[in-house]
Amino acid sequence: MESDVRTRRIARPRQVGMTLARYYTSASLPQIGRAFGDRDHTTVLHARRAVESLCAEDEEFRAELSSLCGQIEAGFISRPSARKKPKVVAPKVDEFLRRLTAERTPSLEAV
């Protein structure tokens, strides 16, 4: 995930990771960028937009992301912490996906 490689096979999981890190943690964009191989905060923004776009266009991708979020929220994917287990209060998967796609669509009030 920290690699400089930009192939889709590597970049897409990294983009998903950045998006989930932004959603499920209180880390800032620069902190997330540093955690993913010293990337700039604009790379984290781009990753989020790419994931939003994929969710809107690709139902299979959306289903996989939904499954991953469900696993995170159910505690099946643990964080590598040897001492304390951080308390993760995460919104529902549907809310996450709805917010991702809703923020990408401009509202009529903004027009």
Side-chain angles (χ1 to χ4, degrees):
M1 292 281 190
E2 294 180 17
S3 171
D4 287 336
V5 176
R6 296 182 184 197
T7 63
R8 185 174 295 166
R9 190 172 69 85
I10 302 297
R12 183 152 301 152
R14 184 169 45 223
Q15 289 172 336
V16 169
M18 288 179 178
T19 301
L20 294 176
R22 181 66 177 150
Y23 192 72
Y24 285 111
T25 71
S26 60
S28 67
L29 296 176
Q31 289 171 326
I32 293 168
R34 282 192 297 274
F36 281 88
D38 205 26
R39 302 252 176 331
D40 189 71
H41 75 279
T42 58
T43 303
V44 181
L45 287 172
H46 171 75
R48 181 169 177 234
R49 289 182 186 125
V51 171
E52 289 172 358
S53 178
L54 282 167
C55 280
E57 298 168 4
D58 186 344
E59 193 61 39
E60 183 177 343
F61 177 82
R62 184 180 171 99
E64 288 175 11
L65 183 61
S66 178
S67 173
L68 181 59
C69 291
Q71 291 176 41
I72 291 169
E73 292 174 11
F76 294 127
I77 298 176
S78 61
R79 296 176 70 177
S81 175
R83 295 184 184 160
K84 289 184 180 179
K85 207 170 190 183
K87 184 179 179 184
V88 178
V89 179
K92 299 285 185 195
V93 176
D94 292 338
E95 174 66 18
F96 169 67
L97 294 172
R98 188 169 42 80
R99 283 179 53 195
L100 266 179
T101 54
E103 291 173 6
R104 190 165 197 288
T105 307
S107 67
L108 293 176
E109 295 173 5
V111 176

